[in-house]
């Protein structure tokens, strides 16, 4: 069974750094792209970026380029999304999802990030 | 950058047919995927590559894509179909884009 399991909710202060994770299982982790999607409170889905764990090829949405870093460790089948300096506007739910020719076919349960002083 | 436009909301009577549109420049030349998101849950893929249903998705869900509009159709709407629905394409300029989202209400 394909599963993507994300790390737990985080509460951070502005200016702090953060790295959240997404662990894949039940399939060949290096053979599919993993994408990250933001959903701000009461808003729609926004694609942030995508990584191919097989060779770490990474693409970013222009809206998020330079704002976050996406990485992966194929040895432990885990993808990451990180911030070096959080802002209150980063408060959102973040989803990882497996991407292929058939779209985002499997999703993680989401990680809620709250940034507040 | 490429943009996808959806109606903010669609209402449908119980047992009737709901149609959700997704507008984009020459979207008919792209593969469109559709996602359903219920409150407090992660999105779920309901249609991939314009008109294909993943296993476990009821036949009541169907899709089409032509010209500048893709459409998700929900036949015989049920109360459990109430959710937000998003279209999504891969475009060389962006490259991944989600639509603005449509809230479906079953009356």
């Amino acid at each position: 069974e394909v599963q993507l399991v994300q790390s737990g909710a985080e509460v951070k202060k502005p200016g702090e750094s953060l790295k959240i994770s997404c662990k894949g299982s039940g399939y060949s982790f290096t053979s599919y792209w993993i994408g990250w999607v933001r959903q701000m409170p009461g808003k729609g889905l926004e694609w942030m970026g995508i990584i191919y764990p097989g060779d770490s090829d990474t693409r970013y949405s222009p809206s998020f380029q330079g704002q976050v870093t996406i990485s992966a460790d194929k040895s432990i089948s885990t993808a990451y999304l990180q911030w070096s300096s959080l802002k209150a506007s980063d408060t959102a739910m973040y989803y990882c999802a497996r991407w292929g020719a058939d779209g985002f076919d499997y999703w993680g349960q989401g990680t809620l990030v709250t940034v507040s002083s | 950058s490429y943009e996808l436009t959806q109606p903010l909301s669609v209402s449908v009577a119980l047992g009737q047919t709901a149609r959700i549109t997704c507008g984009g420049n020459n979207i008919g030349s792209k593969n469109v995927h559709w996602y359903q998101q219920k409150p407090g849950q992660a999105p779920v893929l309901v249609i991939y590559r314009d008109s294909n249903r993943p296993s476990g998705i009821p036949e009541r869900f169907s899709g089409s894509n032509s010209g500048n509009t893709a459409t998700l159709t929900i036949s015989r709407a049920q109360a459990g179909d109430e959710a937000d629905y998003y279209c999504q394409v891969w475009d060389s300029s962006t490259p991944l884009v989600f639509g603005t989202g449509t809230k479906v209400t079953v009356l």
Side-chain angles (χ1 to χ4, degrees):
Chain A
E1 178 195 8
V2 175
Q3 281 193 309
L4 295 172
V5 178
Q6 298 185 229
S7 49
E10 301 274 2
V11 179
K12 292 289 190 179
K13 290 180 166 38
E16 292 185 331
S17 63
L18 176 64
K19 191 173 189 177
I20 62 176
S21 66
C22 169
K23 182 174 177 59
S25 63
Y27 73 100
S28 175
F29 188 72
T30 55
S31 300
Y32 289 83
W33 295 80
I34 292 285
W36 286 95
V37 176
R38 182 176 80 174
Q39 188 167 39
M40 299 178 76
K43 302 298 184 183
L45 305 176
E46 300 174 90
W47 172 69
M48 302 176 71
I50 201 162
I51 187 166
Y52 190 75
D55 61 7
S56 293
D57 185 8
T58 308
R59 320 280 175 87
Y60 291 93
S61 161
S63 300
F64 292 93
Q65 179 84 46
Q67 308 303 308
V68 296
T69 301
I70 293 171
S71 60
D73 184 341
K74 61 185 179 184
S75 70
I76 55 172
S77 300
T78 301
Y80 301 96
L81 176 66
Q82 68 179 83
W83 297 259
S84 58
S85 180
L86 286 160
K87 303 185 281 288
S89 57
D90 292 318
T91 294
M93 182 71 80
Y94 293 88
Y95 294 101
C96 66
R98 190 179 82 165
W99 168 258
D102 298 342
F104 284 119
D105 56 357
Y106 289 91
W107 292 68
Q109 82 276 21
T111 296
L112 180 63
V113 174
T114 304
V115 183
S116 174
S117 54
Chain B
S1 62
Y2 194 78
E3 294 183 354
L4 294 173
T5 303
Q6 299 180 232
L8 201 56
S9 62
V10 167
S11 296
V12 58
L14 187 69
Q16 297 305 301
T17 298
R19 293 179 179 83
I20 305 156
T21 58
C22 175
N25 183 36
N26 198 26
I27 195 174
S29 67
K30 305 179 191 300
N31 287 320
V32 180
H33 313 296
W34 289 91
Y35 304 89
Q36 174 195 69
Q37 187 180 32
K38 296 182 179 179
Q41 298 183 20
V44 171
L45 179 70
V46 293
I47 291 289
Y48 64 93
R49 285 190 277 119
D50 297 343
S51 59
N52 297 277
R53 277 177 293 103
S55 59
I57 301 300
E59 291 183 11
R60 301 184 297 100
F61 287 84
S62 61
S64 63
N65 184 20
S66 178
N68 293 316
T69 304
T71 303
L72 173 68
T73 301
I74 308 173
S75 304
R76 303 182 298 283
Q78 301 179 0
D81 299 332
E82 283 205 341
D84 294 326
Y85 291 84
Y86 297 89
C87 58
Q88 182 249 314
V89 302
W90 173 280
D91 177 77
S92 59
S93 67
T94 299
L96 270 162
V97 185
F98 283 103
T100 49
T102 299
K103 182 178 180 62
V104 170
T105 301
V106 180
L107 304 172

